[in-house]
């Protein structure tokens, strides 16, 4: 594991020895960076005294919400609840710097960030939180000063446009027009789309202008906005402690970023229940552009190419190491330094040979002693022999040196490859490489030099260098796989990641790239964060639902309390596992029919199915599949409740068919309904006429064309499958005896603790005595536990908030708000 | 022994954190049905806590609770918790709750793996 500290926070790895603690510390840093700093734009001194920190955090949050939403209803309630919540969160941190397994420690700074983020999440109305995290994302336009793109002000000082004098407009970019309009690099198309709308429809508010919000946008104003290359945007999100400035940014850039964010949101939310994780991953993608390639599609090729080069490089290094291993190692076993010395001595030693002496001894040192003993005085002839002898010795010595040089060349090549991979160009000294005996390349201490190190030992060390990660993968196989991926990308065969898989990939890559996690640690961190976000959100959603419904009743009779708990829990549980609620079933039917579904904040229903953009076969299949489920007739296995939401969706389908596909409908059903040619022409001409609408409805009431039976069958099968899957999961996890009943979930026989645990806590079990003075206890907490025990599961959080408020006599926490548009 | 947070906001987080930590041993939860699996685990874990907590109390305490449940008296029910499940105010209550949670934390990763495998063996189709 690498213990490189996060750039963004206090080093964690150095302080921790528990792997999960290390990972949790990094998730705390990630939460701090992406959620608090980037999404919410908080600028906090985490180690300030608790009171100051709580006051600053709540002030900044409040101001951000207030400015981006044009005010909050029940502001006082939020103002008085946020600060105490954060204070309470900070109190929890004091003297309790731990999280995982009860043994490890997360530094106080990280703990504070983690707890405060939870407190903020729990204090805010979820609609506001969604709005802040999805649509008020603080893009880092001009680091380090984040700029909120959710709305900005433009001064209109063009004479033609501002005929009655200068005025300002405030553009609310949360309005979908700014995402869906033609791109601003085609100003004519953009202006054309804008001029047909009212100011309100385009999310534009006027300050000090004679124009009314319901007026259509004048052509000259539309053109003026479309051609504004650079506008000076007045910050409307200035937070305490941040600079009071304006920024120049082109409207085109704003739109580009909004479209980009919208696209990420759509990809990341596709088919996922984990909206918090989707928002988090979306922010990562907006903040760190290099991570987008993990999503696949066109952006993937560069990432795959990079991996391919890396795999090839590793393959080559391993090949080099093998080659080095096969080299003959000089038999003298001298070190490189010794051989270098021998070479330098050769000339000097040769010069020592004296003609006429009785024999010659050349001592090269290091035990290399060459004797020429010919039994007498060396004469000229003998001298010639002696010289030949010496030359032979020199050749031998040079051959030995050459072996070293070959080894040296190979080692240098390895070293270069190694250094290229570790991105540390300064460490190219072979001696340091060669003498290194630890498990890292950097920071080598030369006193660790081992003269007797063998080439095989060295090569083993290189193979096992953890930073290189040379082993554990078949690089040739990996190269083949990656080359195929590139071919598939080029051929358009690669499917881009979406939904949960995309969220996981993005978050894991972020941990790997920006929090120095190994790939496996990054996977774990992403898993932890996503799981917690899903469960926290589920708990928080239930909190709001129950708080709204139950608070007025909680002081009433048991039956009222029990009924609300049971009904809410039942609906909540059904929504999770059964898929038989109208909302979930509509989504499943649309999914099964291939209808595009989007999240549009301005629409109260939240879920938006793009019936208008669907094809005729998709619409017809969806309509008849809905009918089958409403009537619960074959192949539907579950009933779709005919709620207002369902009726509205069916009306929208009919409107889409009427508006765009009346001719096809007449083709398929006209004859069966005895529609005359004259009537058909009249319907085509004006399908929205009430009598024509009635005829169209009658056509749809009939049986679908024969060719649609299989389509409807397939769609219904998918919807049935999702319904059945939920129950299978619930029963597999909770036991076959599990059921939803009044008072909450009733478990089957399977519990987390397989055997009675009384032995484990025998010292305290049965030893609980009645609390002597209940006045000491927090009644809110106690009520929490009481009600939580009734319902269990996802309701616990909701009941906690509910009971806390009920007992203390507070109002519902639900904080309504005013919308901008 | 770990000092868990039994405040109204801290209490539910004990379970979500415990589950989230246990997921670190599982393959990426990105398949269809994985969110339902997690939520089912949340039900299981929370319900298990209360089952074990009640089991850890005296017969007298449980009999009293059952009588109150039958009487449908909300105030009495809350009072019962003040008497026997005051985790913040009564060290004995907190001790029992902490011991159960410690035990659950130890057992949860293996159980979660087992449940995950079971879920995926039945939901492949």
């Amino acid at each position: 594991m690498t213990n490189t500290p996060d750039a963004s926070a206090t080093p964690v790895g150095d302080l921790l020895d528990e792997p999960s603690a290390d990972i949790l510390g990094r998730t705390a840093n990630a939460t701090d960076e992406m959620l608090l700093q980037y999404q919410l734009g908080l600028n906090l001194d985490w180690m300030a005294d608790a009171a100051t920190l709580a006051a600053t955090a709540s002030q900044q949050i409040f101001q951000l919400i207030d400015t981006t939403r044009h005010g909050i209803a029940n502001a006082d309630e939020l103002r008085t609840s946020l600060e105490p919540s954060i204070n309470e969160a900070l109190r929890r941190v004091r003297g309790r710097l731990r999280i995982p397994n009860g043994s490890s420690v997360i530094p106080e700074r990280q703990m504070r960030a983690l707890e405060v983020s939870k407190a903020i999440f729990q204090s805010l109305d979820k609609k506001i939180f969604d709005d802040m995290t999805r649509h008020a994302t603080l893009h880092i336009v001009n680091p380090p000063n984040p700029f909120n793109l959710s709305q900005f002000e433009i001064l209109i000082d063009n004479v033609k446009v501002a005929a009655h004098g200068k005025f300002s407009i405030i553009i609310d970019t949360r309005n979908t027009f700014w995402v869906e309009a033609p791109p601003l690099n085609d100003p004519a198309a953009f202006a054309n789309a804008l001029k047909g709308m009212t100011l309100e429809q385009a999310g534009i508010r006027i300050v000090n202008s004679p124009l009314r919000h319901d007026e259509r946008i004048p052509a000259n104003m539309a053109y003026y906005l479309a051609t504004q290359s650079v506008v000076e945007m007045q910050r409307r999100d200035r937070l305490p402690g941040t600079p009071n400035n304006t920024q120049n940014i082109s409207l085109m850039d704003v739109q580009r970023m909004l479209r980009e964010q919208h696209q990420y949101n759509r990809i990341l939310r596709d088919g996922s229940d984990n909206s918090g994780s989707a928002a988090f991953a979306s922010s990562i993608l907006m903040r760190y552009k290099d991570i987008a390639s993990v999503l696949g599609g066109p952006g993937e090729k560069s990432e795959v190419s990079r991996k391919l080069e890396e795999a090839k490089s590793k393959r080559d290094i391993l090949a080099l190491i093998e080659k080095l291993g096969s080299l003959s190692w000089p038999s003298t076993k001298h070190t490189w330094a010794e051989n270098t010395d021998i070479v330098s001595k050769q000339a000097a030693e040769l010069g020592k040979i004296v003609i006429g002496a009785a024999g010659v001894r050349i001592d090269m040192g290091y035990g290399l002693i060459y004797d020429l003993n010919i039994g007498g005085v060396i004469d000229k002839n003998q001298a010639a022999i002696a010289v030949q002898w010496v030359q032979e010795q020199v050749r031998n010595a040079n051959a030995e040196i050459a072996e070293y040089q070959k080894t040296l060349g190979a080692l240098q090549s390895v070293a270069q490859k190694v250094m290229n991979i570790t991105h540390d160009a300064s460490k190219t000294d072979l001696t340091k490489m060669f003498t290194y005996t630890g498990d890292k390349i950097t920071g080598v201490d030369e006193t660790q030099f081992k003269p007797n190190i063998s080439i095989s030992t060295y090569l083993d060390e290189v193979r096992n260098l953890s930073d290189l990660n040379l082993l554990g993968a078949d690089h040739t196989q990996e190269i083949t796989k990656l080359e195929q991926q590139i071919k598939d990308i080029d051929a358009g065969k690669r499917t881009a990641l979406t939904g949960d898989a995309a969220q996981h990939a993005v978050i894991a890559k972020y941990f790997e790239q920006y929090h120095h996690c190994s790939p496996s640690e990054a996977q774990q961190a992403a898993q932890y964060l996503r799981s917690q976000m899903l469960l926290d959100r589920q708990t928080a959603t239930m909190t709001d639902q129950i708080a709204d419904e139950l608070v007025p009743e909680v002081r009433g009779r048991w039956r009222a309390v029990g009924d609300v708990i049971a009904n809410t829990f039942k609906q909540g549980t059904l929504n999770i596992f059964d898929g038989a609620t109208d909302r979930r079933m509509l989504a499943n039917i649309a999914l099964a029919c291939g209808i595009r579904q989007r999240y549009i904040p301005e629409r109260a229903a939240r879920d938006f199915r793009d019936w208008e953009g669907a094809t005729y076969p998709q619409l017809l299949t969806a309509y008849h599949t809905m009918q089958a489920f409403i009537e619960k007739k074959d192949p539907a296995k579950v009933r779709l409740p005919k709620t207002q939401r369902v009726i509205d969706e069916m009306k929208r389908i009919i409107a889409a068919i009427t508006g765009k596909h009346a001719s096809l409908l007449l083709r398929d059903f006209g004859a069966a309904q005895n529609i005359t040619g004259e009537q058909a022409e009249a319907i085509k001409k004006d399908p929205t006429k009430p009598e024509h609408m009635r005829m169209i409805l009658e056509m749809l009431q009939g049986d679908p064309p024969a060719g649609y039976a299989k389509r409807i069958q397939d769609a219904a099968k998918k919807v049935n499958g999702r319904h059945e899957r939920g129950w299978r999961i619930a029963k597999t996890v909770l036991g076959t005896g599990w059921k939803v009943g009044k008072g909450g979930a009733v478990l089957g026989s399977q519990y987390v603790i397989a055997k009675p645990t009384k032995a484990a806590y025998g010292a305290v079990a049965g030893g609980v005595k009645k609390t002597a003075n209940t006045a000491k206890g927090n009644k809110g907490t106690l009520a929490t536990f009481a009600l939580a025990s009734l319902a269990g599961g996802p309701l616990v959080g909701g009941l906690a908030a509910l009971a806390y408020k009920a007992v203390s006599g507070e109002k519902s926490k639900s904080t309504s708000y005013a919308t901008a548009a | 022994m770990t000092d868990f947070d039994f405040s109204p906001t801290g209490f539910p987080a004990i379970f979500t954190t415990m589950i989230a930590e246990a997921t670190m041993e599982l393959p990426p939860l990105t398949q269809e049905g994985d969110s339902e699996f997690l939520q089912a685990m949340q039900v299981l874990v929370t319900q298990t806590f209360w089952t074990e907590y009640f089991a850890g109390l005296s017969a007298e305490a449980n009999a009293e609770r059952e009588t109150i449940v039958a009487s449908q008296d909300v105030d009495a029910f809350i009072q019962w918790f003040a008497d026997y499940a005051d985790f913040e105010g009564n060290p004995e209550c907190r001790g029992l709750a902490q011991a159960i949670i410690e035990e659950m934390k130890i057992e949860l990763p293996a159980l979660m793996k087992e449940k995950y495998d079971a879920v995926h063996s039945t939901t492949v189709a």
Side-chain angles (χ1 to χ4, degrees):
Chain A
M1 180 190 298
T2 51
N3 281 336
T4 313
D6 274 9
S8 60
T10 309
V12 178
D14 293 340
L15 303 175
L16 306 173
D17 54 9
E18 171 70 37
S20 62
D22 190 358
I23 293 169
L24 293 184
R26 288 165 202 265
T27 63
N29 287 342
T31 305
D32 177 13
E33 183 197 3
M34 295 313 306
L35 181 66
L36 299 180
Q37 292 180 41
Y38 191 70
Q39 289 186 339
L40 302 184
L42 299 189
N43 180 16
L44 300 171
D45 173 8
W46 285 112
M47 298 314 290
D49 69 84
T52 305
L53 180 52
T56 314
S58 54
Q59 190 187 0
Q60 289 187 9
I61 287 277
F62 185 82
Q63 188 157 345
L64 178 66
I65 299 171
D66 197 32
T67 52
T68 55
R69 300 200 64 88
H70 299 309
I72 315 167
N74 301 331
D76 288 342
E77 186 182 334
L78 178 62
R79 205 188 287 273
T80 51
S81 69
L82 193 55
E83 189 170 335
S85 294
I86 295 173
N87 249 321
E88 170 66 18
L90 291 168
R91 186 193 64 77
R92 288 203 296 272
V93 173
R94 261 203 317 271
R96 192 179 145 269
L97 303 183
R98 56 140 297 280
I99 280 192
N101 304 329
S103 59
S104 301
V105 173
I106 290 181
E108 184 170 3
R109 187 196 177 288
Q110 276 88 342
M111 273 290 280
R112 282 178 162 221
L114 206 60
E115 293 293 336
V116 168
S117 68
K118 282 183 190 171
I120 291 169
F121 180 76
Q122 285 159 358
S123 300
L124 294 180
D125 182 277
K126 295 304 158 289
K127 294 188 193 81
I128 292 178
F129 192 83
D130 278 351
D131 189 66
M132 289 167 73
T133 55
R134 291 207 189 98
H135 307 288
T137 297
L138 297 169
H139 306 299
I140 308 299
V141 175
N142 183 25
N145 301 321
F147 193 88
N148 187 342
L149 291 180
S150 66
Q151 61 178 283
F152 50 86
E153 198 169 326
I154 297 177
L155 178 67
I156 306 287
D157 61 357
N158 179 285
V159 177
K160 287 182 183 172
V161 180
H164 303 286
K166 292 179 185 179
F167 61 92
S168 291
I169 62 168
I170 295 171
I171 294 179
D172 183 351
T173 51
R174 289 170 297 154
N175 188 299
T176 49
F177 169 77
W178 293 91
V179 174
E180 294 176 343
L184 270 158
N185 54 15
D186 183 356
F190 183 89
N192 200 38
L194 190 60
K195 75 182 178 190
M197 309 181 79
T198 64
L199 290 165
E200 193 171 21
Q201 284 170 335
I204 296 176
R205 295 201 317 153
I206 301 240
V207 182
N208 296 328
S209 162
L211 288 171
R212 292 196 319 271
H213 286 185
D214 57 356
E215 278 191 63
R216 296 198 181 277
I217 296 168
N220 58 0
M221 182 174 163
Y223 192 74
Y224 175 79
L225 283 174
T227 52
Q228 282 275 75
S229 58
V230 176
V231 293
E232 186 184 69
M233 304 205 314
Q234 178 70 40
R235 289 182 65 110
R236 293 186 57 78
D237 65 320
R238 192 170 65 82
L239 306 175
T242 59
N244 177 16
N245 61 3
T246 57
Q247 282 187 261
N248 288 336
I249 184 171
S250 75
L251 206 52
M252 198 185 295
D253 279 343
V254 173
Q255 193 200 31
R256 180 182 52 74
M257 282 189 272
L258 289 169
R259 289 167 75 98
E260 191 177 29
Q261 188 189 17
H262 184 78
Q263 188 185 11
Y264 287 146
N265 282 341
R266 188 169 51 77
I267 291 169
L268 292 160
R269 286 181 57 86
D270 185 27
S272 171
D273 292 333
N274 203 339
S275 55
S277 165
F280 193 83
S282 174
S283 295
I284 290 172
L285 291 172
M286 292 304 293
R287 174 77 180 84
Y288 297 109
K289 302 295 179 195
D290 56 327
I291 289 180
S293 62
V294 301
L295 291 176
E300 187 186 16
K301 189 173 177 181
S302 61
E303 176 64 10
V304 175
S305 300
R306 191 190 64 74
K307 283 184 180 169
L308 179 63
E309 288 310 307
E310 189 177 296
K312 281 181 176 174
S313 183
K314 287 179 179 176
R315 177 196 61 186
D316 294 347
I317 288 174
L318 278 175
L320 268 169
I321 289 173
E322 295 306 317
K323 191 177 170 186
L324 278 171
S326 70
L327 290 175
S328 59
W329 189 249
S331 58
T332 53
K333 306 291 183 192
H334 295 135
T335 65
W336 169 251
E338 290 167 348
N339 273 286
T340 306
D341 194 33
I342 291 167
V343 171
S344 70
K345 281 184 175 177
Q346 282 178 351
E349 294 299 320
L350 283 171
K352 290 177 184 174
I353 298 175
V354 178
I355 303 297
V360 175
R361 164 169 284 206
I362 302 173
D363 185 352
M364 304 285 278
Y366 310 104
L368 285 176
I369 299 171
Y370 303 115
D371 282 321
L372 177 61
N373 188 348
I374 52 179
V377 175
I378 299 172
D379 61 16
K380 284 185 179 178
N381 292 333
Q382 288 171 327
I385 295 168
V387 168
Q388 281 177 9
W389 177 86
V390 170
Q391 285 173 341
E392 187 183 341
Q393 303 312 310
V394 169
R395 275 199 298 277
N396 290 341
N398 282 342
E400 190 173 315
I401 298 304
E403 286 291 320
Y404 279 104
Q405 283 175 331
K406 270 167 63 183
T407 307
L408 170 65
L411 286 173
Q412 280 176 327
S413 174
V414 172
Q416 192 55 53
K417 293 275 185 184
V418 168
M419 292 313 162
N420 287 344
I421 286 185
T422 57
H423 309 292
D424 190 350
S426 65
K427 300 289 189 300
T428 53
D429 183 341
L430 181 65
T431 307
K432 287 186 178 178
M433 281 295 300
F434 190 59
T435 58
Y436 180 57
T437 57
D439 63 352
K440 285 185 179 176
I441 292 172
T442 54
V444 174
D445 178 1
E446 288 187 65
T447 62
Q448 296 295 310
F449 177 74
K450 286 185 175 177
N452 295 321
I453 189 169
S454 73
I455 186 73
S456 60
T457 305
Y458 168 70
L459 294 178
D460 280 346
E461 285 186 6
V462 173
R463 275 195 196 94
N464 290 301
L465 282 175
S466 59
D467 286 358
L468 296 184
N469 196 24
L470 289 173
L471 302 177
D474 182 336
H475 299 303
T476 307
Q477 203 175 30
E478 178 74 3
I479 287 165
T480 308
K481 190 181 90 183
L482 292 167
E483 283 175 340
Q484 185 58 46
Q485 281 181 15
I486 288 182
K487 281 182 192 168
D488 289 347
I489 291 168
D490 289 342
K493 290 181 186 170
R494 293 280 290 178
T495 308
L497 292 178
T498 59
D500 289 321
Q503 293 166 21
H504 186 90
V506 167
I507 297 172
K509 190 71 181 173
Y510 162 67
F511 276 108
E512 199 178 333
Q513 205 116 314
Y514 294 99
H515 289 274
H516 306 285
C517 287
S518 69
S520 62
E521 288 169 339
Q523 294 287 325
Q524 288 184 316
Q527 184 96 305
Y528 172 81
L529 213 53
R530 290 190 65 249
S531 299
Q532 190 155 50
M533 283 172 170
L534 178 76
L535 296 176
D536 279 350
R537 182 164 193 83
Q538 186 65 32
T539 304
T541 304
M542 291 275 190
T543 303
D544 284 357
Q545 288 175 0
I546 296 169
D548 285 345
E549 288 189 42
L550 194 52
V551 166
E553 305 290 344
V554 75
R555 289 181 178 279
R557 304 310 314 153
W558 173 280
R559 185 169 298 283
V561 176
D563 284 350
V564 173
I565 290 175
N567 289 337
T568 311
F569 180 67
K570 187 171 180 179
Q571 284 307 311
T573 311
L574 287 175
N575 200 36
I576 296 166
F577 300 119
D578 186 81
T581 59
D582 59 344
R583 187 176 172 189
R584 182 59 71 100
M585 282 193 72
L586 284 171
N588 288 345
I589 290 169
L591 190 70
C593 297
I595 306 296
R596 206 162 60 105
Q597 299 188 71
R598 291 179 295 169
Y599 172 85
I600 294 192
E602 289 82 359
R603 294 177 196 244
R606 290 195 169 206
D607 301 320
F608 174 72
R609 283 163 276 279
D610 187 14
W611 302 117
E612 291 78 8
T615 64
Y616 173 71
Q618 284 175 325
L619 290 167
L620 212 57
T621 306
Y623 184 88
H624 284 285
T625 306
M626 267 189 212
Q627 283 287 19
F629 277 94
I630 287 170
E631 294 166 23
K632 201 185 172 185
K633 68 180 183 188
D634 188 58
K637 291 185 178 174
V638 61
R639 189 178 297 281
L640 169 64
K642 200 170 181 180
T643 60
Q644 190 57 46
R645 192 198 306 265
V646 172
I647 293 167
D648 290 346
E649 291 285 312
M650 293 185 91
K651 281 181 181 171
R652 285 189 56 217
I653 295 177
I654 293 168
I657 292 175
T658 308
K660 290 187 175 177
H661 310 290
S663 298
L664 292 171
L665 193 71
L666 286 163
R667 181 198 68 188
D668 288 343
F669 296 95
Q673 295 292 323
N674 298 321
I675 304 287
T676 65
E678 195 179 333
Q679 285 174 318
E681 285 308 311
I683 290 171
K684 283 182 204 171
K685 198 174 176 183
D686 185 4
T688 57
K689 202 172 176 181
E691 62 184 271
H692 294 163
M693 285 287 286
R694 184 180 49 76
M695 291 165 86
I696 287 172
L697 200 57
E698 282 172 3
M699 281 187 261
L700 282 169
Q701 297 297 335
D703 290 334
Y708 281 83
K710 186 170 185 319
R711 287 173 186 269
I712 295 165
Q713 183 88 23
D714 289 348
K717 198 174 166 187
K718 286 179 185 169
V719 177
N720 286 334
R722 288 180 74 85
H723 161 72
E724 287 162 1
R725 187 188 69 203
W727 278 112
R728 269 203 305 275
I729 290 170
K731 286 185 176 173
T732 304
V733 173
L734 300 173
T736 49
W738 182 83
K739 59 184 180 179
V740 176
K742 190 169 181 177
V746 179
L747 285 177
S749 57
Q750 300 177 48
Y751 299 116
V752 168
I753 303 172
K755 294 174 185 173
T757 55
K758 286 183 181 174
Y761 51 82
V764 284
V768 176
K769 295 181 184 62
K770 209 166 179 172
T771 307
N773 181 4
T774 55
K776 287 178 184 172
N778 179 330
K779 279 290 182 107
T781 309
L782 299 169
T784 293
F785 298 139
L787 295 177
S789 77
L790 282 176
L795 286 196
V796 171
L799 291 164
L802 156 71
Y804 192 84
K805 289 173 187 308
V807 174
S808 60
E810 290 180 25
K811 288 188 296 181
S812 161
K813 68 174 282 185
S814 182
T815 308
S816 59
Y817 55 89
T819 52
Chain B
M1 182 175 280
T2 307
D3 179 21
F4 292 109
D5 177 10
F6 284 106
S7 67
T9 50
F11 178 65
I14 293 173
F15 300 117
T16 56
T17 301
M18 187 193 297
I19 295 168
E21 279 185 45
T23 63
M24 289 160 78
E25 306 298 323
L26 298 178
L29 295 175
T30 56
Q31 297 185 53
E32 280 202 348
D34 280 348
S35 64
E36 288 99 328
F37 164 71
L38 271 177
Q39 290 165 82
M41 287 305 302
Q42 193 178 26
V43 173
L44 178 64
V45 165
T46 313
Q47 201 79 359
T48 297
F49 170 80
W50 287 109
T51 305
E52 291 295 322
Y53 186 80
F54 294 150
L57 297 177
S58 65
E60 180 195 29
N62 278 309
E64 196 179 321
R65 181 174 58 85
E66 282 163 19
T67 305
I68 294 169
V69 168
S71 75
Q72 301 190 344
D73 183 340
V74 174
D75 293 334
F77 194 57
I78 292 173
Q79 183 58 46
W80 184 91
F81 274 77
D83 292 340
Y84 293 104
D86 180 2
F87 300 147
E88 283 195 310
N90 184 335
E92 289 166 348
C93 297
R94 188 168 58 251
L96 175 57
Q98 289 198 161
I100 292 169
I101 291 170
E102 292 279 8
E103 184 72 12
M104 289 170 74
K105 277 175 76 81
I106 293 167
E107 303 219 13
L108 186 59
L111 181 109
M112 203 143 160
K113 174 83 171 62
E114 181 193 313
K115 295 285 185 190
Y116 176 83
D117 291 342
V119 162
H120 280 279
S121 69
T122 61
T123 55
V124 172

